Amino acid sequence: MPEVVMTPDNIRSKKFPLVQNILVAVVAFVVAAVVVLSTGIGNWVLVVVLGGVLYLAGLNFVAGRVEGKRAARNRMWQTAIYTACLLAVLPLASVVWTLISKGAERLDGDFFGSSMANIGARDANGGAYHAIIGTLEQVGIATLIAVPLGVLGAIYLTEYGRGKFATTIRFFVDVMTGIPSIVAGLFVLSFWVLVVSKWFNDGNPQYSGFAASLALTVLMLPTIVRSTEEMLRLVPGPLREGAYALGVPQWKTILNVVLPTAAPGIVTGVMLAIARAAGETAPVLLVAGGLSRINFDPFSGGQSSLALYVYQQAADASKYAPARAWTAALTLVALVLILTIAAKLLARRNKLTR
């Protein structure tokens, strides 16, 4: 129309007011509460679910009258996505809150400076110092073994592996990814504890933290290999081709170009493997024995771990055991979080300095 001036105010579409949005949500949940609670067909969970469905339907209808059908559908699906994100975060937030609220009870020097040696069911003290030492040593040794093997295996599969042999390795790596942890523990028990350890212990089998490290290595290797392989495949081909064009050998290209580029992703995969290994209970129970006293030697005598300590304290009949279990669980989560942050910062620093 010639009398209408095309300004931003005129061409801007109508927006659905926030007040009406909140009103639709309130009406939807009130109707859901009345229907569910008056008929007695469910509890507050069904009220939330039915209220969410009614809210999306009402939002689509009311917003369609204001913004139009296309904008209303976009708003409805945007709200559904935000809701799904919130529902995904809620369990994590609940776990974190539960760990902090229940685990803070035994956050004291006695817990981190003593073991469970000579601690009875009626003793309120006792700590997880021996379990912390066992976790650090076992996971540390497993990382020293699994990371070089996993990264080298991924380099072979990505840069050199061709034909049936590489396909076979990928197949077995995929199979190992899904094996239960107790199978890894049984393998190390039958191979290392019952056979190899006799050679170093006058013919007697011996539990040790190193045996637990071997079992954790079996669990960490598939995760490291697969994640590192995927990260190496994401490195752009022109980076390799540019190095080859300058006459750089392939091994130097991998060492100086490919690995630094993929380092952040590789670190993420390694930390996922470490987090899984630190939380395993069955392998440690089978091959390390779960010692209640402090043992700094991972090659001689049994050891405990934080995950095994949590399992033992949760099953203990003592009234003081649940507090120890929650604090140990909080310590384990905090330990993995600290290692992850440190590894991420180190990878970022190395990437920037290069």
Side-chain angles (χ1 to χ4, degrees):
M1 297 177 62
E3 64 274 9
V4 177
V5 180
M6 300 302 294
T7 64
D9 293 333
N10 291 332
I11 63 176
R12 187 181 294 118
S13 61
K14 294 183 179 180
K15 296 297 182 181
F16 188 58
L18 177 62
V19 176
Q20 294 186 15
N21 197 339
I22 297 176
L23 183 61
V24 171
V26 171
V27 172
F29 283 98
V30 168
V31 172
V34 170
V35 171
V36 173
L37 299 180
S38 62
T39 57
I41 59 176
N43 54 13
W44 64 271
V45 177
L46 185 58
V47 171
V48 173
V49 174
L50 181 59
V53 174
L54 293 178
Y55 168 65
L56 291 177
L59 181 65
N60 186 35
F61 175 77
V62 178
R65 305 295 295 268
V66 178
E67 297 178 314
K69 293 183 177 180
R70 177 177 297 179
R73 283 196 298 268
N74 178 69
R75 182 178 293 276
M76 183 188 69
W77 286 111
Q78 186 180 29
T79 304
I81 292 172
Y82 288 159
T83 304
C85 180
L86 179 62
L87 292 176
V89 172
L90 279 178
L92 177 61
S94 176
V95 170
V96 172
W97 171 253
T98 303
L99 282 175
I100 294 176
S101 61
K102 294 187 176 182
E105 181 178 349
R106 283 299 314 274
L107 284 176
D108 50 41
D110 180 68
F111 182 83
F112 294 103
S114 62
S115 67
M116 292 299 295
N118 302 321
I119 299 297
R122 299 187 179 186
D123 294 326
N125 53 352
Y129 181 63
H130 62 298
I132 297 173
I133 294 299
T135 296
L136 292 176
E137 290 184 350
Q138 294 161 22
V139 176
I141 294 174
T143 302
L144 291 177
I145 299 174
V147 171
L149 293 178
V151 173
L152 290 175
I155 291 175
Y156 169 77
L157 293 175
T158 305
E159 305 293 336
Y160 299 97
R162 301 293 184 273
K164 293 183 178 180
F165 183 67
T167 303
T168 303
I169 293 179
R170 288 192 183 93
F171 172 76
F172 281 107
V173 168
D174 292 336
V175 171
M176 289 178 62
T177 303
I179 64 172
S181 59
I182 195 170
V183 175
L186 289 173
F187 168 73
V188 175
L189 176 67
S190 61
F191 168 70
W192 182 267
V193 176
L194 299 180
V195 177
V196 179
S197 66
K198 292 182 179 180
W199 304 345
F200 308 98
N201 196 38
D202 298 329
N204 299 316
Q206 179 175 311
Y207 293 110
S208 64
F210 181 72
S213 299
L214 294 179
L216 298 180
T217 300
V218 175
L219 297 174
M220 292 174 63
L221 265 177
T223 303
I224 296 176
V225 172
R226 292 300 295 166
S227 61
T228 304
E229 181 184 4
E230 294 302 324
M231 290 301 104
L232 293 179
R233 289 184 182 278
L234 292 178
V235 176
L239 291 179
R240 297 181 176 89
E241 295 169 0
Y244 298 153
L246 295 174
V248 180
Q250 185 175 12
W251 69 271
K252 282 190 176 181
T253 301
I254 295 171
L255 184 62
N256 298 322
V257 177
V258 177
L259 287 179
T261 305
I266 295 175
V267 170
T268 301
V270 170
M271 294 313 303
L272 288 174
I274 291 176
R276 181 192 177 185
E280 291 295 344
T281 302
V284 182
L285 180 62
L286 283 174
V287 301
L291 199 65
S292 61
R293 60 179 177 83
I294 301 172
N295 180 18
F296 290 98
D297 187 359
F299 300 98
S300 177
Q303 270 190 338
S304 184
S305 69
L306 281 171
L308 181 57
Y309 180 85
V310 172
Y311 169 76
Q312 292 172 337
Q313 293 300 312
D316 199 319
S318 173
K319 66 178 182 179
Y320 304 107
R324 300 190 196 108
W326 282 111
T327 305
L330 178 61
T331 304
L332 179 59
V333 173
L335 181 62
V336 174
L337 179 62
I338 292 172
L339 291 176
T340 302
I341 294 175
K344 285 289 187 179
L345 292 177
L346 181 62
R348 181 186 300 178
R349 181 173 179 271
N350 288 342
K351 183 179 179 181
L352 291 176
T353 54
R354 289 176 186 272

